[in-house]
Amino acid sequence: MFWSIELLYFVLMIAVFIVLLLWAKLPTGLALMASAVTGFIFSAIISGTAFDIRYLVEGMFGYFDTILVITTAMVFMGAMEACGALQYISTLLVKLLGRFPSLLLIAFMLIIMFPAMVTGSSLASAISAGALVAPIMLKWGIPKSKTGAIIAIGSVLGMVAPPVNVPAMVICDVVDIPYTGFTLPLLLLAFPLAIISVLLLGRKYVKPLSKEDIPRVVDVSILKELNGTVCIPMLVLIVFIVLEMIFPKIFGALAMPAMFIISAVICFLVGRRYPFFKKRDKSLAVSQDDKPGSVIDIFRESVYKSFSAMGLLVGVGMFMEIITLNGVRGYIVYIAISLPNIWQYVGMAVSLPLFGGISAFGSASMLGGPFVMALDGVCYSIMVTGGLSLLAALGEFSPPTAMSATFATNV
């Protein structure tokens, strides 16, 4: 039966979320938390569900492991940016591939994708690599609108690519399957789309770069300031990830947060040197444009940048816990499983990006899990999960939040 009290709870929670997000201008995470509290209170009053604060607390820590991965990955990206590795790599690529525009565009797309690949957050790509690559693309002749589109698409596809695909991780948590065996399917899913997108958007605007053109496009002094050893932290991280896949019993216990922290520490040994701690002069005003002056400053700023992702995942966790408590989640699973086969695919194509406009992580958890369950025994679970994670990630282009598109526009 389509009508039920669970549908009322769901509509009420979504309405509260949208009002707080669009009218009150609250951050997405806080709006999700308030929506969860609303559903918690109304279901306790109307249906008599347990009015126990532990459900909210358990929800807050539901994605604690994912929060650790994102936070430590942001620290790693902050260290890579501060030590000069990202700038060095982009400048070196321009110098080596300037005569081959198609290859250079693909290389730029990979640079844009990399932060999201290791953090699971599209915002990390737009803020760090996107801001680094955008001026180069503009000087090369790519229009602003196309540059913004490339950054937005690269950020979203980086979030889908391995090793850290948070929407897929969230779906795995829902349906209780391990996040293993996803590397090759996600590579095949994300990289062809990335290559096709960047060539379609940017190839007709660029031409080969001569030796005289390169200093106009990039600052080549970084190649004299630093050397190839600045790439060691990235290589160490890749080696850790590969070893974990090949020898999970030996290297699996190291865990991704530890891998990111170790790689971040190495950044300060091979790149630009910073003091461990530098006391600030309190008499001077602190500007947001001030560059960090110490390792502690870099770590602090990186953690600060991850607050939005932390709050979002805390809100998603609370939301998912409460819709499980009041029956909304079971209602959605029932609807998904009850749809005829062809309508299941239509439902995936429409609902996942639509709800992804609220939260890609929330869409993956709330709808991705039920659709995987609906197709259990029909399709290979890893393939279905990877595809659904891409559909959920497309919500980053959808209103009301359109997070990747918004940040790419700002860049």
Side-chain angles (χ1 to χ4, degrees), residues 311-351:
L312 180 58
L313 283 172
V314 168
V316 169
M318 289 176 64
F319 190 90
M320 295 309 303
E321 187 75 14
I322 298 308
I323 67 171
T324 303
L325 174 67
N326 60 22
V328 170
R329 188 170 180 177
Y331 172 78
I332 295 173
V333 172
Y334 172 76
I335 295 295
I337 293 175
S338 301
L339 290 172
N341 285 342
I342 185 63
W343 288 105
Q344 286 182 358
Y345 294 101
V346 174
M348 295 175 199
V350 174
S351 60

mmCIF file of all heavy atoms in Angstrom, residues 311-351:
data_model
loop_
_atom_site.group_PDB
_atom_site.id
_atom_site.type_symbol
_atom_site.label_atom_id
_atom_site.label_comp_id
_atom_site.label_asym_id
_atom_site.label_seq_id
_atom_site.Cartn_x
_atom_site.Cartn_y
_atom_site.Cartn_z
ATOM 1 N N GLY A 311 30.421 17.319 9.356
ATOM 2 C CA GLY A 311 29.056 17.651 9.739
ATOM 3 C C GLY A 311 28.038 16.961 8.853
ATOM 4 O O GLY A 311 26.996 16.495 9.325
ATOM 5 N N LEU A 312 28.357 16.872 7.556
ATOM 6 C CA LEU A 312 27.442 16.217 6.623
ATOM 7 C C LEU A 312 27.276 14.742 6.974
ATOM 8 O O LEU A 312 26.150 14.220 7.008
ATOM 9 C CB LEU A 312 27.973 16.374 5.202
ATOM 10 C CG LEU A 312 27.139 15.752 4.077
ATOM 11 C CD1 LEU A 312 25.723 16.319 4.076
ATOM 12 C CD2 LEU A 312 27.805 15.981 2.730
ATOM 13 N N LEU A 313 28.385 14.057 7.262
ATOM 14 C CA LEU A 313 28.303 12.634 7.577
ATOM 15 C C LEU A 313 27.642 12.391 8.935
ATOM 16 O O LEU A 313 26.933 11.400 9.107
ATOM 17 C CB LEU A 313 29.704 12.011 7.555
ATOM 18 C CG LEU A 313 30.266 11.755 6.151
ATOM 19 C CD1 LEU A 313 31.716 11.335 6.223
ATOM 20 C CD2 LEU A 313 29.452 10.685 5.434
ATOM 21 N N VAL A 314 27.860 13.276 9.894
ATOM 22 C CA VAL A 314 27.164 13.159 11.175
ATOM 23 C C VAL A 314 25.657 13.311 10.957
ATOM 24 O O VAL A 314 24.848 12.543 11.497
ATOM 25 C CB VAL A 314 27.677 14.211 12.181
ATOM 26 C CG1 VAL A 314 26.766 14.278 13.407
ATOM 27 C CG2 VAL A 314 29.102 13.880 12.618
ATOM 28 N N GLY A 315 25.268 14.307 10.141
ATOM 29 C CA GLY A 315 23.855 14.500 9.845
ATOM 30 C C GLY A 315 23.256 13.325 9.094
ATOM 31 O O GLY A 315 22.138 12.888 9.404
ATOM 32 N N VAL A 316 23.996 12.792 8.110
ATOM 33 C CA VAL A 316 23.509 11.622 7.364
ATOM 34 C C VAL A 316 23.335 10.436 8.306
ATOM 35 O O VAL A 316 22.335 9.700 8.221
ATOM 36 C CB VAL A 316 24.485 11.272 6.220
ATOM 37 C CG1 VAL A 316 24.146 9.909 5.619
ATOM 38 C CG2 VAL A 316 24.447 12.340 5.140
ATOM 39 N N GLY A 317 24.297 10.236 9.211
ATOM 40 C CA GLY A 317 24.202 9.121 10.156
ATOM 41 C C GLY A 317 22.973 9.228 11.049
ATOM 42 O O GLY A 317 22.253 8.238 11.268
ATOM 43 N N MET A 318 22.716 10.432 11.581
ATOM 44 C CA MET A 318 21.532 10.643 12.418
ATOM 45 C C MET A 318 20.253 10.419 11.606
ATOM 46 O O MET A 318 19.306 9.771 12.077
ATOM 47 C CB MET A 318 21.550 12.051 12.998
ATOM 48 C CG MET A 318 22.604 12.281 14.052
ATOM 49 S SD MET A 318 22.649 13.999 14.634
ATOM 50 C CE MET A 318 21.024 14.142 15.384
ATOM 51 N N PHE A 319 20.221 10.958 10.396
ATOM 52 C CA PHE A 319 19.042 10.818 9.533
ATOM 53 C C PHE A 319 18.750 9.347 9.258
ATOM 54 O O PHE A 319 17.602 8.891 9.372
ATOM 55 C CB PHE A 319 19.280 11.588 8.232
ATOM 56 C CG PHE A 319 18.070 11.725 7.362
ATOM 57 C CD1 PHE A 319 17.223 12.816 7.500
ATOM 58 C CD2 PHE A 319 17.768 10.775 6.397
ATOM 59 C CE1 PHE A 319 16.106 12.957 6.691
ATOM 60 C CE2 PHE A 319 16.659 10.907 5.591
ATOM 61 C CZ PHE A 319 15.813 11.997 5.736
ATOM 62 N N MET A 320 19.794 8.592 8.911
ATOM 63 C CA MET A 320 19.600 7.182 8.595
ATOM 64 C C MET A 320 19.166 6.387 9.822
ATOM 65 O O MET A 320 18.345 5.474 9.720
ATOM 66 C CB MET A 320 20.900 6.593 8.016
ATOM 67 C CG MET A 320 21.308 7.171 6.685
ATOM 68 S SD MET A 320 19.991 7.147 5.452
ATOM 69 C CE MET A 320 19.614 5.404 5.414
ATOM 70 N N GLU A 321 19.695 6.715 10.980
ATOM 71 C CA GLU A 321 19.320 6.011 12.213
ATOM 72 C C GLU A 321 17.841 6.230 12.535
ATOM 73 O O GLU A 321 17.129 5.298 12.914
ATOM 74 C CB GLU A 321 20.191 6.500 13.375
ATOM 75 C CG GLU A 321 20.009 5.730 14.670
ATOM 76 C CD GLU A 321 20.671 4.367 14.639
ATOM 77 O OE1 GLU A 321 21.498 4.119 13.733
ATOM 78 O OE2 GLU A 321 20.359 3.547 15.520
ATOM 79 N N ILE A 322 17.369 7.454 12.353
ATOM 80 C CA ILE A 322 15.983 7.760 12.700
ATOM 81 C C ILE A 322 15.011 7.184 11.682
ATOM 82 O O ILE A 322 13.934 6.686 12.063
ATOM 83 C CB ILE A 322 15.790 9.293 12.834
ATOM 84 C CG1 ILE A 322 16.677 9.830 13.960
ATOM 85 C CG2 ILE A 322 14.334 9.621 13.117
ATOM 86 C CD1 ILE A 322 16.532 9.113 15.289
ATOM 87 N N ILE A 323 15.329 7.216 10.374
ATOM 88 C CA ILE A 323 14.390 6.623 9.418
ATOM 89 C C ILE A 323 14.377 5.098 9.539
ATOM 90 O O ILE A 323 13.415 4.451 9.113
ATOM 91 C CB ILE A 323 14.685 7.049 7.956
ATOM 92 C CG1 ILE A 323 16.006 6.487 7.455
ATOM 93 C CG2 ILE A 323 14.608 8.547 7.803
ATOM 94 C CD1 ILE A 323 16.227 6.695 5.962
ATOM 95 N N THR A 324 15.425 4.533 10.110
ATOM 96 C CA THR A 324 15.387 3.109 10.439
ATOM 97 C C THR A 324 14.480 2.876 11.643
ATOM 98 O O THR A 324 13.696 1.916 11.676
ATOM 99 C CB THR A 324 16.803 2.590 10.734
ATOM 100 O OG1 THR A 324 17.655 2.837 9.613
ATOM 101 C CG2 THR A 324 16.779 1.087 11.027
ATOM 102 N N LEU A 325 14.566 3.755 12.636
ATOM 103 C CA LEU A 325 13.755 3.634 13.848
ATOM 104 C C LEU A 325 12.268 3.794 13.559
ATOM 105 O O LEU A 325 11.440 3.015 14.059
ATOM 106 C CB LEU A 325 14.207 4.690 14.873
ATOM 107 C CG LEU A 325 13.382 4.808 16.153
ATOM 108 C CD1 LEU A 325 13.531 3.548 17.001
ATOM 109 C CD2 LEU A 325 13.803 6.050 16.941
ATOM 110 N N ASN A 326 11.901 4.804 12.750
ATOM 111 C CA ASN A 326 10.469 5.068 12.536
ATOM 112 C C ASN A 326 9.870 4.331 11.339
ATOM 113 O O ASN A 326 8.707 4.540 10.988
ATOM 114 C CB ASN A 326 10.198 6.569 12.410
ATOM 115 C CG ASN A 326 10.933 7.217 11.243
ATOM 116 O OD1 ASN A 326 11.325 6.562 10.285
ATOM 117 N ND2 ASN A 326 11.128 8.533 11.326
ATOM 118 N N GLY A 327 10.657 3.471 10.686
ATOM 119 C CA GLY A 327 10.116 2.622 9.632
ATOM 120 C C GLY A 327 10.196 3.186 8.229
ATOM 121 O O GLY A 327 9.823 2.509 7.267
ATOM 122 N N VAL A 328 10.685 4.420 8.074
ATOM 123 C CA VAL A 328 10.751 5.025 6.745
ATOM 124 C C VAL A 328 11.688 4.240 5.836
ATOM 125 O O VAL A 328 11.392 4.012 4.653
ATOM 126 C CB VAL A 328 11.199 6.495 6.851
ATOM 127 C CG1 VAL A 328 11.504 7.058 5.470
ATOM 128 C CG2 VAL A 328 10.130 7.327 7.534
ATOM 129 N N ARG A 329 12.796 3.802 6.383
ATOM 130 C CA ARG A 329 13.764 3.065 5.577
ATOM 131 C C ARG A 329 13.169 1.752 5.067
ATOM 132 O O ARG A 329 13.334 1.389 3.902
ATOM 133 C CB ARG A 329 15.009 2.800 6.412
ATOM 134 C CG ARG A 329 16.171 2.211 5.649
ATOM 135 C CD ARG A 329 17.391 2.243 6.541
ATOM 136 N NE ARG A 329 18.548 1.694 5.910
ATOM 137 C CZ ARG A 329 19.744 1.677 6.487
ATOM 138 N NH1 ARG A 329 19.895 2.198 7.681
ATOM 139 N NH2 ARG A 329 20.778 1.154 5.868
ATOM 140 N N GLY A 330 12.478 1.030 5.928
ATOM 141 C CA GLY A 330 11.814 -0.201 5.499
ATOM 142 C C GLY A 330 10.758 0.053 4.452
ATOM 143 O O GLY A 330 10.578 -0.739 3.514
ATOM 144 N N TYR A 331 10.071 1.180 4.583
ATOM 145 C CA TYR A 331 9.048 1.561 3.607
ATOM 146 C C TYR A 331 9.682 1.803 2.239
ATOM 147 O O TYR A 331 9.161 1.349 1.209
ATOM 148 C CB TYR A 331 8.337 2.820 4.100
ATOM 149 C CG TYR A 331 7.393 3.452 3.114
ATOM 150 C CD1 TYR A 331 6.123 2.929 2.896
ATOM 151 C CD2 TYR A 331 7.772 4.586 2.384
ATOM 152 C CE1 TYR A 331 5.257 3.506 1.980
ATOM 153 C CE2 TYR A 331 6.907 5.175 1.474
ATOM 154 C CZ TYR A 331 5.655 4.634 1.278
ATOM 155 O OH TYR A 331 4.805 5.205 0.376
ATOM 156 N N ILE A 332 10.826 2.490 2.220
ATOM 157 C CA ILE A 332 11.516 2.757 0.953
ATOM 158 C C ILE A 332 12.029 1.457 0.340
ATOM 159 O O ILE A 332 11.935 1.252 -0.879
ATOM 160 C CB ILE A 332 12.671 3.747 1.184
ATOM 161 C CG1 ILE A 332 12.128 5.108 1.630
ATOM 162 C CG2 ILE A 332 13.506 3.905 -0.079
ATOM 163 C CD1 ILE A 332 13.189 6.097 2.042
ATOM 164 N N VAL A 333 12.573 0.557 1.175
ATOM 165 C CA VAL A 333 13.033 -0.748 0.678
ATOM 166 C C VAL A 333 11.870 -1.509 0.052
ATOM 167 O O VAL A 333 11.999 -2.103 -1.031
ATOM 168 C CB VAL A 333 13.664 -1.564 1.821
ATOM 169 C CG1 VAL A 333 13.951 -2.992 1.361
ATOM 170 C CG2 VAL A 333 14.946 -0.909 2.311
ATOM 171 N N TYR A 334 10.717 -1.482 0.719
ATOM 172 C CA TYR A 334 9.536 -2.190 0.209
ATOM 173 C C TYR A 334 9.115 -1.637 -1.151
ATOM 174 O O TYR A 334 8.821 -2.391 -2.081
ATOM 175 C CB TYR A 334 8.388 -2.060 1.214
ATOM 176 C CG TYR A 334 7.073 -2.590 0.714
ATOM 177 C CD1 TYR A 334 6.831 -3.963 0.652
ATOM 178 C CD2 TYR A 334 6.067 -1.720 0.276
ATOM 179 C CE1 TYR A 334 5.633 -4.462 0.172
ATOM 180 C CE2 TYR A 334 4.864 -2.205 -0.207
ATOM 181 C CZ TYR A 334 4.649 -3.573 -0.258
ATOM 182 O OH TYR A 334 3.459 -4.049 -0.738
ATOM 183 N N ILE A 335 9.102 -0.305 -1.277
ATOM 184 C CA ILE A 335 8.724 0.316 -2.546
ATOM 185 C C ILE A 335 9.714 -0.069 -3.646
ATOM 186 O O ILE A 335 9.331 -0.407 -4.771
ATOM 187 C CB ILE A 335 8.645 1.849 -2.406
ATOM 188 C CG1 ILE A 335 7.505 2.246 -1.449
ATOM 189 C CG2 ILE A 335 8.458 2.506 -3.762
ATOM 190 C CD1 ILE A 335 6.132 1.889 -1.951
ATOM 191 N N ALA A 336 11.034 -0.025 -3.312
ATOM 192 C CA ALA A 336 12.062 -0.338 -4.306
ATOM 193 C C ALA A 336 11.955 -1.781 -4.785
ATOM 194 O O ALA A 336 12.068 -2.069 -5.984
ATOM 195 C CB ALA A 336 13.450 -0.075 -3.725
ATOM 196 N N ILE A 337 11.732 -2.705 -3.855
ATOM 197 C CA ILE A 337 11.656 -4.116 -4.217
ATOM 198 C C ILE A 337 10.369 -4.417 -4.976
ATOM 199 O O ILE A 337 10.330 -5.293 -5.841
ATOM 200 C CB ILE A 337 11.758 -4.986 -2.942
ATOM 201 C CG1 ILE A 337 13.150 -4.842 -2.325
ATOM 202 C CG2 ILE A 337 11.469 -6.452 -3.238
ATOM 203 C CD1 ILE A 337 13.323 -5.567 -1.015
ATOM 204 N N SER A 338 9.302 -3.675 -4.691
ATOM 205 C CA SER A 338 8.000 -3.941 -5.299
ATOM 206 C C SER A 338 7.886 -3.411 -6.722
ATOM 207 O O SER A 338 6.968 -3.796 -7.455
ATOM 208 C CB SER A 338 6.885 -3.321 -4.444
ATOM 209 O OG SER A 338 6.901 -3.848 -3.136
ATOM 210 N N LEU A 339 8.784 -2.518 -7.127
ATOM 211 C CA LEU A 339 8.707 -1.957 -8.478
ATOM 212 C C LEU A 339 8.966 -3.041 -9.525
ATOM 213 O O LEU A 339 9.826 -3.900 -9.328
ATOM 214 C CB LEU A 339 9.724 -0.828 -8.652
ATOM 215 C CG LEU A 339 9.463 0.481 -7.903
ATOM 216 C CD1 LEU A 339 10.675 1.394 -8.032
ATOM 217 C CD2 LEU A 339 8.217 1.184 -8.460
ATOM 218 N N PRO A 340 8.255 -3.026 -10.658
ATOM 219 C CA PRO A 340 8.592 -3.939 -11.765
ATOM 220 C C PRO A 340 10.031 -3.682 -12.228
ATOM 221 O O PRO A 340 10.581 -2.593 -12.034
ATOM 222 C CB PRO A 340 7.585 -3.561 -12.858
ATOM 223 C CG PRO A 340 6.472 -2.867 -12.145
ATOM 224 C CD PRO A 340 7.097 -2.174 -10.968
ATOM 225 N N ASN A 341 10.634 -4.672 -12.873
ATOM 226 C CA ASN A 341 12.060 -4.606 -13.219
ATOM 227 C C ASN A 341 12.452 -3.330 -13.948
ATOM 228 O O ASN A 341 13.406 -2.656 -13.575
ATOM 229 C CB ASN A 341 12.431 -5.818 -14.078
ATOM 230 C CG ASN A 341 12.522 -7.078 -13.240
ATOM 231 O OD1 ASN A 341 12.643 -6.991 -12.021
ATOM 232 N ND2 ASN A 341 12.450 -8.224 -13.884
ATOM 233 N N ILE A 342 11.711 -2.972 -15.007
ATOM 234 C CA ILE A 342 12.091 -1.806 -15.793
ATOM 235 C C ILE A 342 11.964 -0.529 -14.968
ATOM 236 O O ILE A 342 12.782 0.385 -15.089
ATOM 237 C CB ILE A 342 11.240 -1.714 -17.086
ATOM 238 C CG1 ILE A 342 11.734 -0.570 -17.967
ATOM 239 C CG2 ILE A 342 9.764 -1.547 -16.749
ATOM 240 C CD1 ILE A 342 13.135 -0.733 -18.472
ATOM 241 N N TRP A 343 10.970 -0.472 -14.075
ATOM 242 C CA TRP A 343 10.774 0.724 -13.267
ATOM 243 C C TRP A 343 11.813 0.840 -12.161
ATOM 244 O O TRP A 343 12.040 1.926 -11.644
ATOM 245 C CB TRP A 343 9.364 0.750 -12.690
ATOM 246 C CG TRP A 343 8.332 1.036 -13.738
ATOM 247 C CD1 TRP A 343 7.463 0.159 -14.302
ATOM 248 C CD2 TRP A 343 8.120 2.298 -14.383
ATOM 249 N NE1 TRP A 343 6.707 0.782 -15.272
ATOM 250 C CE2 TRP A 343 7.091 2.096 -15.339
ATOM 251 C CE3 TRP A 343 8.691 3.560 -14.263
ATOM 252 C CZ2 TRP A 343 6.618 3.114 -16.149
ATOM 253 C CZ3 TRP A 343 8.224 4.579 -15.076
ATOM 254 C CH2 TRP A 343 7.204 4.367 -16.009
ATOM 255 N N GLN A 344 12.420 -0.275 -11.794
ATOM 256 C CA GLN A 344 13.524 -0.189 -10.835
ATOM 257 C C GLN A 344 14.669 0.627 -11.413
ATOM 258 O O GLN A 344 15.257 1.467 -10.732
ATOM 259 C CB GLN A 344 14.010 -1.597 -10.467
ATOM 260 C CG GLN A 344 13.075 -2.361 -9.538
ATOM 261 C CD GLN A 344 13.616 -3.723 -9.177
ATOM 262 O OE1 GLN A 344 14.677 -4.125 -9.652
ATOM 263 N NE2 GLN A 344 12.889 -4.440 -8.337
ATOM 264 N N TYR A 345 14.989 0.411 -12.687
ATOM 265 C CA TYR A 345 16.079 1.157 -13.328
ATOM 266 C C TYR A 345 15.707 2.619 -13.521
ATOM 267 O O TYR A 345 16.539 3.518 -13.341
ATOM 268 C CB TYR A 345 16.435 0.497 -14.664
ATOM 269 C CG TYR A 345 17.031 -0.878 -14.508
ATOM 270 C CD1 TYR A 345 16.261 -2.016 -14.705
ATOM 271 C CD2 TYR A 345 18.360 -1.035 -14.137
ATOM 272 C CE1 TYR A 345 16.800 -3.284 -14.543
ATOM 273 C CE2 TYR A 345 18.918 -2.297 -13.975
ATOM 274 C CZ TYR A 345 18.132 -3.416 -14.182
ATOM 275 O OH TYR A 345 18.668 -4.660 -14.011
ATOM 276 N N VAL A 346 14.443 2.877 -13.872
ATOM 277 C CA VAL A 346 13.979 4.260 -13.984
ATOM 278 C C VAL A 346 14.041 4.944 -12.619
ATOM 279 O O VAL A 346 14.469 6.106 -12.497
ATOM 280 C CB VAL A 346 12.545 4.307 -14.552
ATOM 281 C CG1 VAL A 346 12.010 5.744 -14.535
ATOM 282 C CG2 VAL A 346 12.512 3.743 -15.961
ATOM 283 N N GLY A 347 13.619 4.211 -11.588
ATOM 284 C CA GLY A 347 13.671 4.762 -10.231
ATOM 285 C C GLY A 347 15.081 5.102 -9.801
ATOM 286 O O GLY A 347 15.330 6.139 -9.176
ATOM 287 N N MET A 348 16.040 4.232 -10.133
ATOM 288 C CA MET A 348 17.444 4.514 -9.814
ATOM 289 C C MET A 348 17.920 5.769 -10.530
ATOM 290 O O MET A 348 18.555 6.644 -9.932
ATOM 291 C CB MET A 348 18.326 3.333 -10.234
ATOM 292 C CG MET A 348 18.096 2.046 -9.491
ATOM 293 S SD MET A 348 19.121 0.746 -10.209
ATOM 294 C CE MET A 348 18.282 -0.702 -9.590
ATOM 295 N N ALA A 349 17.623 5.851 -11.828
ATOM 296 C CA ALA A 349 18.128 6.955 -12.648
ATOM 297 C C ALA A 349 17.584 8.299 -12.200
ATOM 298 O O ALA A 349 18.259 9.324 -12.329
ATOM 299 C CB ALA A 349 17.774 6.712 -14.118
ATOM 300 N N VAL A 350 16.359 8.306 -11.649
ATOM 301 C CA VAL A 350 15.723 9.563 -11.261
ATOM 302 C C VAL A 350 15.963 9.884 -9.791
ATOM 303 O O VAL A 350 16.382 10.996 -9.439
ATOM 304 C CB VAL A 350 14.205 9.512 -11.556
ATOM 305 C CG1 VAL A 350 13.517 10.765 -11.013
ATOM 306 C CG2 VAL A 350 13.952 9.362 -13.036
ATOM 307 N N SER A 351 15.721 8.904 -8.918
ATOM 308 C CA SER A 351 15.701 9.198 -7.481
ATOM 309 C C SER A 351 17.092 9.423 -6.900
ATOM 310 O O SER A 351 17.279 10.314 -6.065
ATOM 311 C CB SER A 351 15.003 8.063 -6.724
ATOM 312 O OG SER A 351 15.693 6.834 -6.921
#
